[in-house]
Amino acid sequence: MKFKSTRGKSEEVSLTYALQHGLAKDGGLYVPAKFPLFPWRSLDKNMGYADFATQLLEPFFRGGELEDKLHAICYESFSFDLPIVDLDQRSSLLELFHGPTLSFKDFGARFLANALSHIKTDNKLTIMVATSGDTGSAVAAAFHSKSNINVMVLFPKGKISLRQQQQITCWQDNVCAVAVDGTFDDCQVLVKAAFADKWWQEHTHLNTSNSINIGRLLPQTTYYAYVSWQYFLNQCKKANFIVPSGNIGNVCACFWAKEMGLPIGEIIISQNENNVIGQFLQSAQLPHKPSVETLANAMDVGNPSNFERLYFLLGSTQRFKAEVTAFKASDEAIRRTILKVKQDHDLLICPHTATAVYAREFLPSDQHYIIVATAHPAKFEQVIEPIVGEKIPVPQSLQTLLNQQQSNVGIAPTVGAITELYQAYFNLSST
Ligand SMILES: *Cc1c(COP(=O)(O)O)cnc(C)c1O
């Protein structure tokens, strides 16, 4: 399969090329040339997740360099649980946070890291990623032992939780953790600026593992596909999902799975105060406002990259309005929801998941919804513990990372600063 740009002004490329380059030359994002229908009705009911994922993604890998590696990549990447926990008769939580860094981003980051490490190349690859929290830790963990890849993780200084930061700054070796004096949007701008910069173009093969890389989104289709298939087998009904959204990658993957014919009904977007989608549905225009800080900080995105992919898929504002529903949760609503879920169900949820549980209240009570739980609550103890008034037990995998030695370097949000740091950290001359 070939991949094309959402802006239509670049030629179609192979999957390997799209994985290695992230952004298309015309500034657009790569999407599959077409979405094949997935014959889920004829599958063996006992098929496990990694085998299912291999079959789902096979058409995208067909004819490419990684075709015969796909099975191994799926097995290496999807080696953790995918539990569904009933909240009540009409809502369940899909827990996507049982990977090594406890957020759904482990699915995409591990898949991309394993795929890239299977591609033969002479140039040293550099991964540069901007993070509003969870991407950075997932990417750092996924790429840490891939010794032929240099990694720069840029996070907004003082704007992510201490534990999120510790999960980014505990790796060292080939992972350089960078505290940028600015917001998440500044970090994203900086990554784009490095891509456009001559020094970077000449001295390294620069790539990003932000969700603009299609290697992050394709694997995320697999859990929506797998869960909706299992749901249909058990319930003979389509699955409705509520997805906490910021950069719109995770929910775009859900729409892609639906496009492949999987039994998915409604797809609902929940957002925090940065309710870009809600504003678009009202005014048919993107607000282009800077992000504001909220309790659900991994969703503090003012200019979501993957909006472009979702809009491209749906094709027009009219269809976008028909297919997309969005809800906004204020910080106050997030707090109340975390407390209510604790009181009613004796369950702790993260602030991002809380936006989706809150949105559930506004949806028909006679329908069933699967609420996507995007991160483990222990990552956000600073928000949750004061609300529920008790300590959150730390899972062993997280404790191990927190015990590591930490290091990061602070920089101003300029290309010059990031270039200098890269040269110093990876021992390169400045010419
Ligand atoms: C990244 C993230 C989100 C938002 O996902 P997008 O793909 O950016 O929409 C939601 N919750 C958590 C915990 C995250 O880390």
Side-chain angles (χ1 to χ4, degrees):
M1 161 119 29
K2 292 282 190 192
F3 292 80
K4 62 185 177 188
S5 164
T6 47
R7 301 202 183 161
K9 296 199 180 70
S10 298
E11 57 199 42
E12 294 192 355
V13 301
S14 67
L15 177 62
T16 306
Y17 186 96
L19 291 175
Q20 286 184 318
H21 291 81
L23 213 58
K25 282 211 184 78
D26 61 4
L29 279 68
Y30 286 117
V31 293
K34 77 183 226 291
F35 285 97
L37 283 181
F38 185 57
W40 53 273
R41 285 176 193 274
S42 56
L43 296 180
D44 170 4
K45 293 183 172 56
N46 299 314
M47 186 181 284
Y49 181 44
D51 285 324
F52 178 94
T54 308
Q55 293 219 9
L56 181 76
L57 297 179
E58 193 272 334
F60 303 108
F61 282 65
R62 198 178 299 151
E65 182 185 343
L66 292 174
E67 183 174 14
D68 57 356
K69 303 286 187 336
L70 175 61
H71 191 247
I73 294 169
C74 287
Y75 266 83
E76 287 157 6
S77 309
F78 307 137
S79 53
F80 38 88
D81 289 346
L82 193 65
I84 298 183
V85 176
D86 282 341
L87 209 52
D88 54 46
Q89 294 274 319
R90 297 275 172 240
S91 347
S92 345
L93 289 178
L94 169 61
E95 295 186 353
L96 297 180
F97 53 71
H98 294 276
T101 67
L102 307 182
S103 87
F104 77 86
K105 297 208 169 70
D106 285 322
F107 287 88
R110 284 161 66 84
F111 189 91
L112 178 64
N114 288 319
L116 286 174
S117 72
H118 278 291
I119 297 174
K120 289 188 201 68
T121 146
D122 300 333
N123 286 4
K124 187 128 188 161
L125 193 62
T126 298
I127 294 288
M128 190 190 284
V129 65
T131 182
S132 54
D134 293 331
T135 294
S137 49
V139 165
F143 282 91
H144 177 238
S145 54
K146 316 276 184 225
S147 57
N148 61 340
I149 303 178
N150 293 340
V151 183
M152 304 282 275
V153 181
L154 282 59
F155 62 90
K157 186 174 174 179
K159 294 195 170 62
I160 64 178
S161 85
L162 181 62
R163 276 193 195 157
Q164 279 180 319
Q165 177 166 332
Q166 287 172 316
Q167 288 177 285
I168 294 169
T169 57
C170 67
W171 303 97
Q172 287 137 63
D173 307 329
N174 66 325
V175 178
C176 177
V178 189
V180 175
D181 209 350
T183 62
F184 169 65
D185 293 328
D186 293 327
C187 296
Q188 282 214 50
V189 168
L190 201 50
V191 173
K192 285 192 179 155
F195 267 88
D197 186 87
K198 206 159 148 261
W199 187 89
W200 288 87
Q201 287 168 359
E202 284 171 4
H203 288 84
T204 174
H205 188 138
L206 194 57
N207 195 351
T208 176
S209 56
N210 268 88
S211 52
I212 62 174
N213 194 307
I214 193 158
R216 285 267 308 272
L217 285 218
L218 286 176
Q220 288 179 216
T221 61
T222 65
Y223 45 76
Y224 292 112
Y226 181 78
V227 166
S228 66
W229 170 63
Q230 289 279 316
Y231 187 85
F232 194 89
L233 288 179
N234 291 322
Q235 311 282 336
C236 294
K237 271 193 300 207
K238 292 182 176 181
N240 302 315
F241 289 99
I242 312 176
V243 187
S245 303
N247 216 13
I248 314 298
N250 199 16
V251 74
C252 182
C254 190
F255 275 96
W256 281 6
K258 185 174 180 177
E259 188 74 8
M260 288 186 261
L262 281 128
I264 296 173
E266 290 174 44
I267 303 174
I268 312 287
I269 291 177
S270 68
Q271 297 204 284
N272 59 24
E273 281 293 346
N274 300 285
N275 65 329
V276 176
I277 301 301
Q279 293 180 53
F280 179 78
L281 290 173
Q282 279 196 342
S283 66
Q285 287 194 344
L286 284 177
H288 288 301
K289 279 192 292 208
S291 58
V292 298
E293 289 173 37
T294 75
L295 296 175
N297 66 10
M299 289 159 42
D300 290 350
V301 181
N303 183 13
S305 312
N306 281 295
F307 176 84
E308 189 162 334
R309 276 197 177 110
L310 185 55
Y311 190 88
F312 184 84
L313 175 76
L314 298 175
S316 69
T317 301
Q318 196 186 1
R319 184 160 170 228
F320 196 100
K321 285 189 171 176
E323 303 254 340
V324 178
T325 309
F327 292 92
K328 172 180 92 167
S330 65
D331 274 0
E332 186 44 39
I334 290 172
R335 276 197 200 91
R336 262 193 285 121
T337 305
I338 289 173
L339 184 60
K340 187 164 186 302
V341 170
K342 168 69 182 152
Q343 287 170 341
D344 294 354
H345 307 286
D346 195 25
L347 199 73
L348 294 173
I349 54 170
C350 90
H352 313 83
T353 307
T355 65
V357 175
Y358 177 73
R360 172 70 187 95
E361 292 176 24
F362 300 93
L363 294 162
S365 56
D366 59 347
Q367 282 210 62
H368 185 268
Y369 288 88
I370 299 177
I371 297 166
V372 175
T374 49
H376 192 290
K379 291 190 91 162
F380 301 96
E381 86 291 357
Q382 287 167 320
V383 174
I384 300 168
E385 285 177 357
I387 296 171
V388 299
E390 65 181 58
K391 285 258 174 245
I392 305 174
V394 179
Q396 186 53 50
S397 57
L398 175 56
Q399 192 56 52
T400 309
L401 298 186
L402 301 181
N403 292 344
Q404 305 285 322
Q405 196 190 335
Q406 308 287 329
S407 82
N408 73 76
V409 188
I411 63 161
T414 66
V415 182
I418 188 88
T419 311
E420 222 171 273
L421 172 60
Y422 181 85
Q423 290 162 350
Y425 190 91
F426 294 107
N427 258 325
L428 302 170
S429 74
S430 55
T431 51

